[in-house]
Amino acid sequence: MPAYAAKPAKAPKAPKTPLFDTKRLSEEVKVLSSDEFEGRGPATEGEKKTIDYLIAQFKAAGVQPGGDLKDGKRLWTQAVPLLRSQISGTPNLSVAVKKKARPLVQGNDIAVRAALDGSKAVNIKNAPLVFAGYGVSAPERQWDDFKGVDLKGKVAVVLINDPDFEAGAGPFGGKAMTYYGRWTYKYEEAARRGALGLLIVHETDPASYGWATVKNSNTNTMFDVVRDNPGATHPTLEGWIQRDTAVNLFKSAGLDFEKLKKQAQTRDFKPVVLKNVTFSANYNVDSEVITSQNVVGRVDGSKRPDETVIYSAHWDHLGIGQPDAKGDTIYNGAVDNATGTAALIEMGRTFAKAKKPQRSVVFLAVTAEEKGLLGSEYYSAKPLYPLAKTVAVINTDALDPGGISRDFTTSGSAKQELLDELIATAAKWNVAYAPDPKPEAGHFFRSDHFPFAKRGVPAVSFGSGEDKVDGGVAAGKAESEAYVKDRYHQPADQWEASWTFQGMARDLQILYTLGSDLANSNRWPNWAEDSEFRAARDESAGERSAK
């Protein structure tokens, strides 16, 4: 057992809580991740099958529709308009060293995303490349990787994660990733700086995933919420570049990649132009506005129906994409996130069968998480139920379908009363809290609770533990690492007949108890006093009833 996950001294008797059916969980994950659902890509036949299945399951579970209002009645869905963008054909990508062109192979050397700034074609000819460290501008930390460089007409090259990831200490919190370390921030900052494009150097440890994940997530169809000014958020060119490819480019410019990387970890770093090296890209972009769907179920509260507890999970995965070594092109997404979606269905069933809660409980299956948390971003920007009166969001993403663990974790360890309540609830099952084992991976910013958190709503994303009853921490870590390496965002994330779902069933008892306790109370959990999300929550305090 890790030292940080101290167990309660004595195993108390587990509370009397509804049981969750492992066979039903297994069947739902099996169906949702079957080839028939084509990887559950938004705006595909796979989406239509997924939406129809979820509605049928929610109806059978006894849950009521909780989506958009039409003629005074709730639909099962919330329409989510999205910009869908994909590269037409194979993009022509190259670098020129002293005017001599070298081709870059999409998916191997580089992973360029379809433009999301509204461009119908990308035609970049011999753009200068500028190394801009970690691509961070953080005045409150006295940090500026740009130091006055003009990026107009240029392509910036930056590192992934935060400047102090490798040192383990510094102004960015050491190993734990801040939002400055996320690739989404880096693209946003490049757009603010007027850059023509941004390439992020991929390295497995600071990214927390391998190149296969980068390739599969960035070379297929891209989506974004519909924006008034997309160029303010996205540069024309967004992509990742293989570390070895980047090292060779730097060498061609007479630069030492490792030496510059070290410099980038200091406040004194200044941007460096890659002399005699330019970048070119030519491809057409097919883009249109489409409508995807969030699926929303609801159990009305008996006393305060206008106050809401939300359980969330994303139903989507990557759809059909690049073939793997076996030629498989369907990214089934069994663990990620048919498990969380099945949890939502069964949570709805359990609440529908129980005595009516005092507050309403909503079961929110969101779209396009894999495209940048877009379904949850849309809901939290245009909520069906006011965020001020949303008590909490309990998110489930990529749960372990195997055996029982003695612990659990969360995506990030942001200090809040909701997490305190979850820890206290789990302790009733003698299940200990293990803080996010990889805070450097930035998981807090990578799941559907984050759009709610940044708007002040107490929100947590539950993660399965690694201290297995059968095999201990060693077994749990081995399973987790093997999943990330061999299955995550790959066609191999498929249902297995050997999965027992016993651990997941027990974990859902804990999450049910947490949500039920909140739904039958007057409590309004808040963020810690020093949390960056506290101010947003406190602003709406007047709209909530007293505890």
Side-chain angles (χ1 to χ4, degrees):
M1 190 79 182
Y4 52 69
K7 289 185 189 176
K10 187 180 177 184
K13 190 177 179 182
K16 190 176 180 183
T17 304
L19 298 176
F20 285 81
D21 189 323
T22 55
K23 288 182 180 177
R24 203 150 45 204
L25 287 168
S26 182
E27 180 62 21
E28 287 157 1
V29 171
K30 184 179 181 181
V31 171
L32 285 163
S33 61
S34 64
D35 282 359
E36 185 186 347
F37 280 60
E38 300 177 352
R40 303 189 306 279
T44 66
E45 276 301 304
E47 161 158 1
K48 186 177 184 308
K49 288 176 181 174
T50 304
I51 300 307
D52 289 348
Y53 179 77
L54 288 177
I55 292 171
Q57 292 302 305
F58 276 138
K59 280 182 179 176
V63 175
Q64 300 303 305
D68 288 329
L69 276 171
K70 184 178 181 182
D71 301 328
K73 291 186 176 180
R74 292 281 179 188
L75 304 177
W76 280 105
T77 55
Q78 178 188 34
V80 180
L82 298 172
L83 174 69
R84 179 174 67 185
S85 185
Q86 56 192 12
I87 294 173
S88 300
T90 302
N92 289 313
L93 306 163
S94 64
V95 289
V97 178
K98 294 182 178 176
K99 299 185 179 178
K100 187 175 180 181
R102 295 181 189 170
L104 295 172
V105 179
Q106 171 78 326
N108 289 348
D109 306 310
I110 195 169
V112 170
R113 295 149 56 91
L116 292 170
D117 71 334
S119 296
K120 292 289 187 181
V122 174
N123 189 1
I124 297 171
K125 197 166 183 182
N126 297 322
L129 290 169
V130 180
F131 177 56
Y134 285 83
V136 172
S137 175
E140 78 284 0
R141 297 166 201 251
Q142 296 83 52
W143 198 281
D144 180 16
D145 282 332
F146 301 97
K147 295 191 173 64
V149 69
D150 183 1
L151 290 178
K152 289 181 177 61
K154 301 181 180 74
V155 173
V157 179
V158 303
L159 302 165
I160 190 61
N161 215 309
D162 291 321
D164 52 12
F165 164 75
E166 291 189 9
F172 292 86
K175 281 282 185 186
M177 185 189 285
T178 68
Y179 190 55
Y180 294 115
R182 276 293 278 157
W183 55 266
T184 47
Y185 163 79
K186 295 174 194 290
Y187 290 141
E188 290 162 5
E189 188 61 36
R192 285 190 284 269
R193 300 265 164 181
L196 184 57
L198 180 82
L199 294 174
I200 299 170
V201 179
H202 173 261
E203 293 186 278
T204 298
D205 284 347
S208 82
Y209 36 74
W211 180 256
T213 300
V214 171
K215 177 182 76 171
N216 295 335
S217 302
N218 290 276
T219 58
N220 57 4
T221 305
M222 292 288 110
F223 291 84
D224 195 15
V225 291
V226 175
R227 301 179 189 272
D228 294 335
N229 182 14
T233 303
H234 297 282
T236 298
L237 178 98
E238 298 178 328
W240 292 67
I241 188 167
Q242 273 265 34
R243 181 189 183 281
D244 290 348
T245 304
V247 169
N248 288 334
L249 278 184
F250 278 60
K251 194 174 180 181
S252 299
L255 300 170
D256 184 323
F257 175 81
E258 284 298 332
K259 190 175 177 183
L260 279 175
K261 186 176 167 186
K262 286 282 185 197
Q263 289 178 19
Q265 293 163 12
T266 70
R267 284 192 172 94
D268 296 333
F269 169 81
K270 291 179 182 175
V272 178
V273 175
L274 275 67
K275 290 180 182 175
N276 299 317
V277 179
T278 58
F279 178 85
S280 297
N282 188 275
Y283 49 90
N284 291 325
V285 179
D286 177 19
S287 61
E288 61 179 332
V289 174
I290 57 94
T291 301
S292 187
Q293 306 288 338
N294 291 334
V295 182
V296 193
R298 176 181 170 93
V299 170
D300 280 339
S302 59
K303 291 188 178 179
R304 296 181 299 285
D306 59 330
E307 298 173 5
T308 306
V309 174
I310 294 178
Y311 287 92
S312 65
H314 71 92
W315 60 254
D316 67 303
H317 198 53
L318 300 179
I320 296 173
Q322 299 269 339
D324 65 6
K326 296 178 181 176
D328 191 352
T329 59
I330 298 177
Y331 289 68
N332 304 85
V335 171
D336 184 17
N337 185 32
T339 56
T341 308
L344 214 55
I345 296 167
E346 292 309 308
M347 198 65 75
R349 188 188 314 277
T350 305
F351 270 97
K353 285 182 176 178
K355 182 183 176 184
K356 236 184 181 186
Q358 295 175 20
R359 289 164 156 167
S360 296
V361 182
V362 163
F363 309 95
L364 175 63
V366 294
T367 181
E369 185 269 358
E370 300 291 3
K371 305 302 180 183
L373 315 183
L374 302 182
S376 51
E377 175 65 28
Y378 187 82
Y379 179 97
S380 54
K382 298 192 176 183
L384 296 169
Y385 309 102
L387 296 189
K389 290 193 174 184
T390 298
V391 182
V393 172
I394 302 166
N395 188 60
T396 50
D397 192 350
L399 300 175
D400 183 349
I404 296 171
S405 297
R406 299 184 185 94
D407 61 350
F408 75 94
T409 188
T410 54
S411 296
S413 306
K415 293 177 183 175
Q416 55 173 323
E417 291 165 355
L418 179 61
L419 178 56
D420 295 340
E421 293 199 26
L422 173 55
I423 292 169
T425 302
K428 295 174 183 177
W429 277 263
N430 201 36
V431 175
Y433 175 53
D436 187 342
K438 291 188 177 178
E440 66 273 19
H443 288 120
F444 189 83
F445 314 108
R446 289 167 57 181
S447 206
D448 288 303
H449 66 301
F450 178 60
F452 292 94
K454 70 182 182 182
R455 291 171 172 87
V457 180
V460 66
S461 191
F462 180 90
S464 306
E466 288 189 339
D467 184 12
K468 295 289 184 183
V469 168
D470 185 8
V473 175
K477 280 192 180 299
E479 284 176 22
S480 174
E481 287 168 5
Y483 171 73
V484 172
K485 180 175 176 288
D486 300 326
R487 293 181 180 237
Y488 176 59
H489 282 199
Q490 297 173 61
D493 186 3
Q494 302 180 86
W495 176 86
E496 301 283 348
S498 61
W499 289 343
T500 66
F501 286 88
Q502 289 178 349
M504 188 168 153
R506 193 279 318 275
D507 290 345
L508 294 186
Q509 288 183 297
I510 294 170
L511 296 181
Y512 170 82
T513 303
L514 174 67
S516 178
D517 286 352
L518 287 169
N520 288 294
S521 77
N522 293 320
R523 295 196 304 281
W524 296 99
N526 205 341
W527 300 91
E529 291 283 357
D530 59 351
S531 169
E532 64 267 46
F533 309 120
R534 174 80 181 222
R537 188 60 166 176
D538 287 350
E539 276 179 26
S540 63
E543 298 175 54
R544 290 185 287 279
S545 61
K547 281 190 181 184

